[in-house]
Amino acid sequence: MMVSARRKAALRLSVFAAAALHFPSPLRAEPRASSIDPSHTSIEFFVDAIGWPRTKGSFSSFSGRIAVDLSRPDESSVVLKVAAKSVDVGSRSFDDYLCGDAFFDISRYPEISFVSNRVEKLDEHHARVSGDLTLRGVTRPFAVDVAVEGAAGGEASRLRFRATGILHRLEFGMNAGFPAISNDVDLVISTEAEGGAT
Amino acid sequence: MSDPSRWPRSIRLLHWLGAAAILFAFALGFAMVNLVDDPGERFELYQAHKSLGLLILALTAARLALRFARAAPKPIVTIANWRRRGAGTMHIVLYVLTIALILAGYAMVSTSTLPLPVALPFGFTAPNLFAPDEAVSERLKQAHHVLAAALALGLAGHIAAAIKHHFVDRDETLRLMKPF
Ligand code: HEM
Ligand code: HEM
């Protein structure tokens, strides 16, 4: 049931991609999907632990596609693939430790991915994006709340998004250091995309 | 063979090497826990503190072995017997506290629910000795803190005594320990 929804979403995305390439101005059938631009995107996480300062980290290597239509949220979608080894917490040895089998285990699970399967509009400036998150090879439903921050960089059609969500790492088998290190991981992802709302 | 009028050279060298390393481990331990907020930096300092602590264990074992193998200098005649025995007892206490402190630290990180082995020179790592147990690890952390405070207190007395012998009593105690 969910699988087929996801397949459909993926299929739709590749159709957008093709459409975007071949017809710069398609027949308003589907919102235009565009690549996520790393220079305008940040993926950050925050973790609390007892006896340790709040750890802030980020990922620097990722790719994905995003299609947004504010007037028809159900036609919007996002796919994000993150290279786990690009984790950065401000020190090489700490990064290497996180890449080891206690946390990301990158030799077995090099990729973290999110594929949306539902976008709901909450109000004029907020949406909820639900989908499947795969981390350490475990796929679970995951949702983020997205604030739409309006035109970015002076271009009326470009929108800035700030997605926030709380990931429960134990659900993905990432148990190391629990309970001293919190189960909850705060995620903050910001990016830009063409609005396609007109 | 050895010059009985001062400490054997090996003991003198290791005493000062050990003193520098232990005082540095204190500074590092205090700074990393209380002064450093950046998690990346803090992680590296924790790793360095743990490695340094285990190196100090090896150094202390070597010192102790030398203490049994080599003769101490002849007693200084101006120092009363009970004071000399007091100093001797204090040295034993310093050895015991140093070793207990290090073992508590090692056991604390071994029982931590975060499996993070201690790096040693040449790419070796010290294994975690025990199964993870959050409560036990927390108790050992307290033990590490209490033992660190006790050793600091003992060392304050030890250093104060050395200063007193040198500047107040003006005897040979400190000179007999001169590294070179
Ligand atoms: C930097 C400050 C220090 C000073 C000025 C100092 C001074 C001295 C002096 C003068 C002696 C000879 C005592 C005697 O002949 O009875 C001595 C011995 C000794 N000191 Fe220190 N010391 C210092 C730091 C330390 C530290 C950090 C330790 C670590 C545990 C330590 C452990 C010992 C021990 C165990 C002895 C007996 C000789 C031996 O087994 O090596 N000292 N120290
Ligand atoms: C002579 C050796 C050592 C000395 C003088 C020393 C001293 C200290 C001090 C002063 C602190 C800070 C306590 C505080 O202010 O809260 C500390 C913390 C710590 N030490 Fe050591 N230590 C030694 C060896 C070790 C070893 C061998 C290990 C582990 C292998 C270790 C692991 C730790 C850890 C993990 C902490 C942080 C725990 C916390 O959150 O307070 N230490 N140490």
Side-chain angles (χ1 to χ4, degrees):
Chain A
M1 167 61 208
M2 221 146 75
V3 173
S4 78
R6 206 180 338 145
R7 279 228 188 93
K8 235 162 56 197
L11 190 68
R12 201 157 57 209
L13 267 179
S14 39
V15 171
F16 300 160
L21 278 175
H22 297 290
F23 313 101
S25 149
L27 288 172
R28 286 276 308 104
E30 303 280 7
R32 197 150 62 104
S34 59
S35 300
I36 285 177
D37 176 1
S39 63
H40 290 112
T41 303
S42 69
I43 303 175
E44 294 177 328
F45 61 86
F46 300 84
V47 190
D48 286 314
I50 297 167
W52 191 260
R54 184 168 167 82
T55 296
K56 175 188 167 192
S58 62
F59 292 94
S60 56
S61 172
F62 47 81
S63 63
R65 299 194 70 78
I66 183 166
V68 185
D69 186 336
L70 293 186
S71 54
R72 288 173 307 154
D74 50 315
E75 299 293 351
S76 302
S77 64
V78 59
V79 173
L80 184 60
K81 294 184 186 315
V82 178
K85 71 162 187 292
S86 72
V87 65
D88 178 1
V89 283
S91 121
R92 261 301 284 284
S93 51
F94 199 1
D95 295 346
D96 289 347
Y97 179 55
L98 291 183
C99 287
D101 57 3
F103 290 93
F104 291 112
D105 200 359
I106 60 159
S107 58
R108 288 205 284 167
Y109 312 112
E111 189 174 275
I112 304 165
S113 66
F114 177 74
V115 179
S116 73
N117 53 29
R118 186 174 152 87
V119 178
E120 304 157 79
K121 190 167 178 171
L122 301 179
D123 62 39
E124 279 314 302
H125 295 287
H126 294 90
R128 173 165 299 142
V129 177
S130 316
D132 288 324
L133 179 72
T134 304
L135 170 62
R136 286 174 64 99
V138 179
T139 302
R140 298 263 162 195
F142 183 66
V144 288
D145 285 333
V146 182
V148 183
E149 287 171 356
E155 286 176 67
S157 65
R158 264 188 102 65
L159 297 168
R160 209 153 167 87
F161 301 96
R162 190 180 140 88
T164 52
I166 298 175
L167 179 158
H168 304 294
R169 64 189 182 99
L170 298 186
E171 289 177 6
F172 299 88
M174 192 190 277
N175 306 330
F178 183 79
I181 301 174
S182 153
N183 177 20
D184 293 2
V185 177
D186 288 323
L187 280 181
V188 179
I189 300 166
S190 29
T191 190
E192 287 179 18
E194 295 297 327
T198 46
Chain B
M1 177 186 102
S2 67
D3 173 6
S5 65
R6 54 200 296 208
W7 289 91
R9 189 214 296 277
S10 51
I11 288 183
R12 280 181 279 137
L13 288 177
L14 288 186
H15 173 269
W16 293 110
L17 193 61
I22 288 171
L23 295 180
F24 188 65
F26 267 107
L28 197 54
F30 180 79
M32 71 187 192
V33 172
N34 302 294
L35 306 178
V36 176
D37 273 337
D38 178 74
E41 213 175 298
R42 191 159 154 147
F43 180 89
E44 294 190 345
L45 295 182
Y46 267 54
Q47 289 302 85
H49 176 80
K50 289 154 56 180
S51 300
L52 177 63
L54 286 193
L55 294 181
I56 293 172
L57 182 62
L59 195 101
T60 306
R63 277 175 75 180
L64 209 50
L66 280 168
R67 267 312 287 280
F68 285 112
R70 311 295 303 272
K74 279 195 307 233
I76 296 169
V77 289
T78 53
I79 299 175
N81 268 332
W82 68 269
R83 282 183 180 270
R84 206 166 54 239
R85 277 197 301 274
T89 308
M90 181 56 134
H91 295 158
I92 295 171
V93 168
L94 294 181
Y95 274 120
V96 169
L97 285 177
T98 302
I99 292 167
L101 169 63
I102 292 170
L103 293 182
Y106 190 21
M108 152 183 46
V109 303
S110 285
T111 49
S112 161
T113 48
L114 199 57
L116 186 47
V118 184
L120 297 175
F122 310 114
F124 289 100
T125 50
N128 290 313
L129 300 176
F130 311 107
D133 186 324
E134 183 66 19
V136 171
S137 188
E138 209 42 50
R139 299 296 288 273
L140 288 164
K141 184 191 279 187
Q142 284 164 17
H144 192 64
H145 288 185
V146 170
L147 288 165
L151 179 58
L153 221 73
L155 284 176
H158 178 70
I159 294 167
I163 291 171
K164 173 179 178 286
H165 278 288
H166 196 70
F167 291 105
V168 180
D169 304 340
R170 294 171 182 280
D171 64 27
E172 291 291 299
T173 305
L174 186 56
R175 263 187 292 272
L176 297 186
M177 199 37 116
K178 252 189 11 191
F180 303 110

